[in-house]
Amino acid sequence: MLKVIFYLKAGKFNKSGESPIYARISYKKQSITMAAGKSILKERWQFTDNLRSVLKLEKEKVIKNALDLFLLGMEKKFNELLKIDQDFSLQLLKDEFKGETAVKEDSVSIIEIMNRHNEFFKRKVDAGERSKASYQKYERAKDLLITFMTKQYGIQDISLSEVNSAYVYNLEAFLKYDSSFKGKIGIQNNSVVKYMRMYKTACKYSIRMGIIDKDPFNVYDGKLHVTDAIFLTQEELNLIENKKFSVKRLEKVKDVFLFSCYTGYAPVDAANLTSNNISSDGNDNLWIMTNRAKTAIRANVPILPPTLAIINKYRNMQIGLIPKLSNQKMNAYLKEIADLCGIDKHLTWYVARHTFATTVTLGNGIRIENVSAMMGHTNIKQTQHYAKVLDMNIMEDMSKLKQKYT
């Protein structure tokens, strides 16, 4: 919990020879100092045991009361921030206590809002609670804002009070039709909706911190377009599993891809797994136990025989469970694997995750609630998307009904 210690600032004196009283504030591994606004003679500070003894001088009683009020106000502000975020910085506590974060809405800008949120999000990344990739997306969202305002209005920032519905929908149109990234013009609908939601998230953070009163992005009502997820059938999965590659590079990519197919782990999660993530239950079943980097949600997955075979293959070759591969050329290697295996599908890392959700689990009768938990989804609606594409399951169920009417 919060710890506050009062002390005299060494080597500093006012005209009366008194030293200023400072507070050293500590929380977890953080520490910060700030002036308490009072001063006292060093001799009296020591004589009264830092004002902890029974005080007789009226001036010292006043100072003591002021320090008690300082402590009370600090603890009150600490508890307020703790309800919002347990990992807030002591600099924020200091600023809040001094009233320096009480910024009027008409003076705070949209880029300031993004910077404040992204700094907070980075602390979560540094603590291992969120992924670096998610942080980079928020930074990309901020850069897109600056580019939009530069081209649309000839400025690089704007007061939040000037962000109206016209601004919001002009921004959406810019993202969809005019933004450019790596030579490609325009962003697809689902990515645009996700960027707009990021702006909403940043504003909501500032509302929680008392910086602004309302979110101008609440007018936005864009929806994600649900598309069929690409996944491998069991036959296609078998083709890749049984294919032997003479090129080591392709063999490693194949193994990492199959690992994701049989565990549902995204590459960023799989790359960080070690033997410490493997646990055995009371029935000698092996589990991979960890948190998803994207959502920080616990996602424990039983180890299937194909998964164990891949783990055993690399057991003595590296620190992690499976090879760590750079994402830079992975999708190109997966395309090469698909061509060599005669699979006419655009393979990416997320095809592996979709394959786990559909073919490996739901397709074999695993309850959707359990699939959702293993995939680290925040709600079951995310998982229901995969259940819609399993026509083979419908046919199996209907064949039972068909027999009844035969």
Side-chain angles (χ1 to χ4, degrees), residues 232-244:
L232 297 179
T233 64
Q234 189 59 56
E235 291 74 17
E236 290 167 334
L237 199 53
N238 293 340
L239 279 174
I240 295 177
E241 197 162 356
N242 295 328
K243 182 74 173 179
K244 299 296 181 185

Side-chain angles (χ1 to χ4, degrees), residues 23-24 46 97 107 111 118 147 156 179 202 206 240 263 328 340:
R24 180 178 293 106
Q46 294 173 341
F97 183 78
S107 65
I111 299 302
N118 291 4
T147 303
Q156 291 193 338
S179 64
S206 287
I240 295 177
T263 63
Q328 193 173 4
L340 291 171

Side-chain angles (χ1 to χ4, degrees), residues 152-326:
Q152 187 87 5
Y153 305 111
I155 56 176
Q156 291 193 338
D157 204 355
I158 191 173
S159 170
L160 199 69
S161 62
E162 297 180 64
V163 177
N164 53 24
S165 59
Y167 178 100
V168 171
Y169 284 102
N170 282 337
L171 171 61
E172 180 196 36
F174 167 78
L175 294 176
K176 278 187 175 181
Y177 311 119
D178 300 315
S179 64
S180 61
F181 184 64
K182 293 183 178 179
K184 185 178 180 182
I185 303 298
I187 301 173
Q188 292 184 351
N189 176 79
N190 285 4
S191 294
V192 170
V193 173
K194 289 175 183 177
Y195 278 126
M196 299 299 279
R197 288 178 179 178
M198 288 180 188
Y199 303 135
K200 281 188 176 185
T201 299
C203 288
K204 285 177 181 176
Y205 170 74
S206 287
I207 290 172
R208 292 199 306 269
M209 300 310 293
I211 299 168
I212 59 175
D213 295 324
K214 60 183 179 181
D215 173 14
F217 286 89
N218 269 342
V219 299
Y220 181 73
D221 56 359
K223 306 293 182 185
L224 293 173
H225 294 164
V226 178
T227 56
D228 288 341
I230 299 174
F231 64 95
L232 297 179
T233 64
Q234 189 59 56
E235 291 74 17
E236 290 167 334
L237 199 53
N238 293 340
L239 279 174
I240 295 177
E241 197 162 356
N242 295 328
K243 182 74 173 179
K244 299 296 181 185
F245 296 101
S246 57
V247 181
K248 289 184 179 180
R249 153 179 64 84
L250 293 180
E251 187 70 15
K252 282 186 178 181
V253 173
K254 179 192 90 167
D255 289 335
V256 174
F257 180 77
L258 289 173
F259 182 90
S260 293
C261 286
Y262 286 113
T263 63
Y265 281 103
V268 64
D269 296 305
N272 293 323
L273 295 174
T274 69
S275 57
N276 293 330
N277 294 112
I278 297 181
S279 296
S280 175
D281 60 23
N283 298 316
D284 293 330
N285 297 310
L286 293 177
W287 293 71
I288 296 175
M289 309 183 81
T290 188
N291 292 333
R292 300 288 182 182
K294 184 177 180 180
T295 59
I297 292 176
R298 197 74 176 165
N300 302 331
V301 180
I303 296 179
L304 298 172
T307 311
L308 185 60
I310 294 169
I311 292 172
N312 288 335
K313 181 176 179 179
Y314 295 96
R315 188 178 296 276
N316 299 318
M317 300 182 187
Q318 59 209 17
I319 298 174
L321 287 186
I322 57 174
K324 284 192 176 184
L325 303 172
S326 167

